[in-house]
């Protein structure tokens, strides 16, 4: 019998054999998989990782996408393939509008960094938040406003009943023509069929996808060979083991001392 469990995709029967758990620790920022387990003990606090260096990795990934589009590197690559010498006109960072969906630990850090870098950044969250340098919206009307202005949309939403399929055909159509979407959160937040339709129609210029509804992605999935899709295998932010171990150990010490800890999941919200 254990007092604490540190898990990532545990076997379903694990919790049926553990009856004295004081807390559960998830090795990832997302906890939707754990919350979906029927055997997960409801009376035991579930604690997720808080950053652990993942925010810095997400910032790197988002900056790569933003700079690639802002400096028009895809156009230059196409011009090279066509043997064309085609300089593009200068544009200002403040003219390149970026939207960030989800302003938690990771999304908030990315939004703040992009704003500090000089981009025009708007962020959306379910409830009201404030991020320095970022125009923040919330609620259904706020989501539409952020979508309508975003030449680049970065998605950092947790997977909950409210966010599953949130980016469907209707909402993708609210993005400006030629926008770019990057999903770095959970695959099920995005309607993959609707995304493919938007890419094929040319209403979206490109999609950067690190997460998928099914992982690993099946070999016959159209994302693999789509000319407008850029894929990575769920590596946008990996959990550094040594840092995670120290964080879990520190939180266990706090719990044993009767002190509150951060990162406790609100099961009603799903994060």
């Amino acid at each position: 019998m254990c007092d604490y469990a540190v898990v990532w995709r545990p076997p379903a029967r694990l919790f049926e054999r553990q009856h004295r758990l004081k807390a559960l620790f998830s090795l990832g920022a997302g906890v939707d998989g754990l919350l979906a387990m029927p055997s997960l003990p409801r009376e035991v606090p579930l604690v997720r990782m808080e950053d652990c260096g993942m925010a810095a990795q997400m910032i790197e990934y988002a900056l790569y996408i933003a700079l690639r589009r802002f400096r028009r590197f895809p156009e230059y690559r196409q011009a090279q393939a066509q043997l064309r010498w085609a300089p593009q006109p200068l544009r200002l960072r403040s003219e390149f509008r970026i939207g960030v969906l989800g302003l938690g630990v990771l999304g908030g850090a990315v939004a703040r960094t992009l704003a500090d870098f000089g981009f025009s950044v708007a962020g959306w969250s379910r409830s009201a938040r404030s991020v320095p340098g970022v125009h923040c919206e919330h609620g259904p009307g706020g989501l539409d406003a952020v979508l309508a202005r975003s030449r680049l949309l970065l998605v950092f939403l947790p997977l909950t009943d409210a966010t599953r399929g949130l980016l469907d055909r209707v909402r993708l159509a609210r993005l400006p023509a030629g926008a770019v979407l990057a999903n770095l959160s959970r695959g099920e937040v995005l309607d993959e069929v609707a995304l493919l339709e938007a890419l094929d129609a040319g209403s979206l210029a490109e999609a950067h996808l690190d997460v998928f509804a099914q992982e690993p992605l099946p070999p016959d999935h159209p994302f693999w060979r789509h000319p407008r899709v850029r894929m990575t295998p769920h590596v946008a932010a990996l959990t550094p083991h040594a840092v995670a171990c120290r964080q879990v150990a520190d939180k266990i010490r706090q719990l044993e001392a009767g002190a509150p800890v951060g990162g406790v999941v609100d099961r009603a919200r799903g994060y």
Side-chain angles (χ1 to χ4, degrees), residues 56-92:
Q57 296 174 65
M58 284 294 192
I59 288 169
E60 293 166 352
Y61 201 113
L63 272 174
Y64 159 72
I65 298 170
L67 291 173
R68 180 175 180 272
R69 299 304 307 189
F70 171 67
R71 292 301 304 267
R72 297 187 170 100
F73 288 122
E75 289 94 326
Y76 289 129
R77 182 68 185 93
Q78 184 178 31
Q80 178 185 347
Q82 298 170 347
L83 309 181
R84 289 188 299 110
W85 187 267
Q88 298 289 328
L90 173 70
R91 60 183 173 188
L92 304 177

Side-chain angles (χ1 to χ4, degrees), residues 104-115:
V105 173
L106 301 181
V110 168
R112 185 169 56 251
T113 300
L114 290 171

